Amino acid sequence: MFFTLSIRTRDRSEMVDITSQVEGELRRSGLEDGVCFIYVPHTTAGITINENADPSVIADIQATLNRLVPWEGPYSHLEGNSAAHIKSTLVGNSVMVLVESGRLKLGTWQGIFLCEFDGPRSRKVHIKFQ
Ligand code: ZN
């Protein structure tokens, strides 16, 4: 059994902090010790863990990804969103966090971010506790 978050993104490129929503699902699951798998079933979105204390870190990550992978090609993919597909592959579509005493074992400054690369859209995030 797994849980699914539905996230509505607002911009073409956006990183949404979903840490508190994952913690909410963890509390509902009742899991005390184990692992939490988080999976994004999209080809133009991703998921990552990084700093959620200073928002300029996320701004720098987004700006750097945009410099590395500009929206305008040349690309072959006719849908016109190759940059989003490439960023999705660079960032990855799953993360795993340990669970101890009913809590995510994240570092002090770490948060879990859904990465939107071709929004705004409705996105799903699947979460499995084991
Ligand atoms: Zn496409």
Side-chain angles (χ1 to χ4, degrees), residues 77 79 81 85:
H77 179 48
E79 197 188 4
N81 62 352
H85 288 289

Side-chain angles (χ1 to χ4, degrees), residues 43-44 77-82 84-85 118 121:
T43 61
T44 56
H77 179 48
L78 293 176
E79 197 188 4
N81 62 352
S82 276
H85 288 289
D118 191 19
R121 292 181 190 233

Side-chain angles (χ1 to χ4, degrees), residues 40-102:
V40 173
H42 302 290
T43 61
T44 56
I47 190 149
T48 193
I49 294 175
N50 214 300
E51 177 165 337
N52 66 356
D54 178 358
S56 65
V57 171
I58 293 307
D60 284 344
I61 290 171
Q62 287 183 284
T64 303
L65 283 173
N66 287 336
R67 270 201 311 279
L68 289 172
V69 190
W71 190 262
E72 301 298 334
Y75 301 114
S76 301
H77 179 48
L78 293 176
E79 197 188 4
N81 62 352
S82 276
H85 288 289
I86 293 164
K87 289 177 193 168
S88 171
T89 281
L90 288 175
V91 166
N93 61 5
S94 68
V95 293
M96 190 268 291
V97 184
L98 301 179
V99 174
E100 187 181 72
S101 303

